[in-house]
Amino acid sequence: MFCVECGTEGEIYKNGVCINCYIKNKTFTKGPLILDIFSCSNCSSYKYKNTWIDESFENTLERHIRDNFQISNELKNTKIKTYCDEKDKNLSCKLIISGNLNNHQIEEEHTLQVRLKTVVCDVCSKQFGGYYEAILQIRADKKLYKNELKKIKSYIEDFVSELHTKGNRGLFITDFGEESGGIDFYLSEKGPAYTIAKKVQEKYGGEIKQSSSNIGMKDSRQIYRM
């Protein structure tokens, strides 16, 4: 059969044309000229949809490109490469999207301006505002010495850091203070607070007591501090 475009005899790929003419006359990728990416001025996390993520700028940029660019599903094993020059808070980027089509390598180049906008993420905003949902109170039958309080404090801080590293970026210690021979930790989330209490109990013994207080309404629901 003959290609209706170039007249070459051979296999017809689609719409009466050979694969070479099909590739020559088709655009496989298209997208905007400008992308806005939000980053937190305090913790340097990036906003993706409605979530703040601790990851590299390159990974965040690729997420936004894949969401905002139309990439033909004819292309297989697509890859994205970006080459950016920084100008103030704007990045001038050369974007190359590549993929395979019927054993042919396709590459299309785009010019993209990335505008970096700094704000404060929800977690950092809560930290700055002294937000907490639970108070973990460590008490003993006898007075706890300074070195004992220091060990307990270090143990809890390490465990909070471990939970944070595993993906719970909303968990943090808002404040702490020595009270009545013990120590209080003000924690940003109720659920992990009980988990931390269990870990302290497993290491040091004792019992867990829990109480709550009503601190108001949010979204037509009662809010309790544990």
Side-chain angles (χ1 to χ4, degrees), residues 102-121:
N102 199 31
N103 296 322
H104 286 69
Q105 180 72 10
I106 307 297
E107 280 193 357
E108 293 188 351
E109 183 176 317
H110 302 267
T111 299
L112 179 65
Q113 183 183 12
V114 179
R115 298 187 298 199
L116 295 175
K117 300 192 174 184
T118 54
V119 294
V120 179
C121 72

Side-chain angles (χ1 to χ4, degrees), residues 11 24 28 30 52 85-86 124 136 146 160 162 207:
E11 182 180 352
K24 181 179 66 176
F28 294 92
K30 63 179 180 178
W52 289 89
D85 294 323
E86 186 171 356
C124 289
L136 177 60
K146 289 286 185 181
V160 168
E162 180 183 336
E207 61 179 322

Side-chain angles (χ1 to χ4, degrees), residues 173-225:
I173 300 172
T174 303
D175 197 4
F176 63 89
E178 295 182 21
E179 299 287 343
S180 304
I183 188 169
D184 290 352
F185 294 86
Y186 294 77
L187 299 166
S188 61
E189 295 185 351
K190 295 192 290 284
Y194 189 79
T195 302
I196 296 167
K198 288 291 290 183
K199 292 290 289 186
V200 173
Q201 183 190 42
E202 290 171 6
K203 185 172 179 63
Y204 296 101
E207 61 179 322
I208 296 176
K209 296 180 180 180
Q210 180 176 310
S211 63
S212 62
S213 59
N214 190 327
I215 60 172
M217 299 278 291
K218 183 179 180 181
D219 299 328
S220 302
R221 294 187 299 111
Q222 295 287 345
I223 304 297
Y224 293 90
R225 181 168 288 151

Side-chain angles (χ1 to χ4, degrees), residues 57-164:
F57 171 74
E58 289 74 18
N59 287 345
T60 294
L61 179 56
E62 181 168 337
R63 287 178 187 270
H64 282 76
I65 289 171
R66 289 193 179 275
D67 277 356
N68 289 277
F69 272 73
Q70 297 177 30
I71 302 176
S72 172
N73 55 18
E74 291 183 278
L75 291 185
K76 307 302 179 185
N77 302 317
T78 57
K79 295 180 180 179
I80 292 174
K81 292 182 180 180
T82 52
Y83 305 90
C84 299
D85 294 323
E86 186 171 356
K87 296 179 180 178
D88 298 322
K89 291 187 177 181
N90 293 331
L91 298 176
S92 179
C93 300
K94 180 173 75 172
L95 166 63
I96 297 175
I97 303 176
S98 62
N100 296 318
L101 174 65
N102 199 31
N103 296 322
H104 286 69
Q105 180 72 10
I106 307 297
E107 280 193 357
E108 293 188 351
E109 183 176 317
H110 302 267
T111 299
L112 179 65
Q113 183 183 12
V114 179
R115 298 187 298 199
L116 295 175
K117 300 192 174 184
T118 54
V119 294
V120 179
C121 72
D122 51 353
V123 172
C124 289
S125 180
K126 287 180 178 179
Q127 282 185 292
F128 294 150
Y131 179 86
Y132 66 97
E133 294 181 358
I135 306 173
L136 177 60
Q137 299 177 314
I138 309 295
R139 299 291 185 269
D141 292 334
K142 66 177 183 65
K143 181 180 178 181
L144 294 172
Y145 293 102
K146 289 286 185 181
N147 65 321
E148 293 176 312
L149 292 173
K150 186 177 180 180
K151 286 181 180 179
I152 294 171
K153 178 174 178 289
S154 178
Y155 180 74
I156 292 176
E157 286 176 334
D158 288 346
F159 188 59
V160 168
S161 178
E162 180 183 336
L163 292 175
H164 193 275

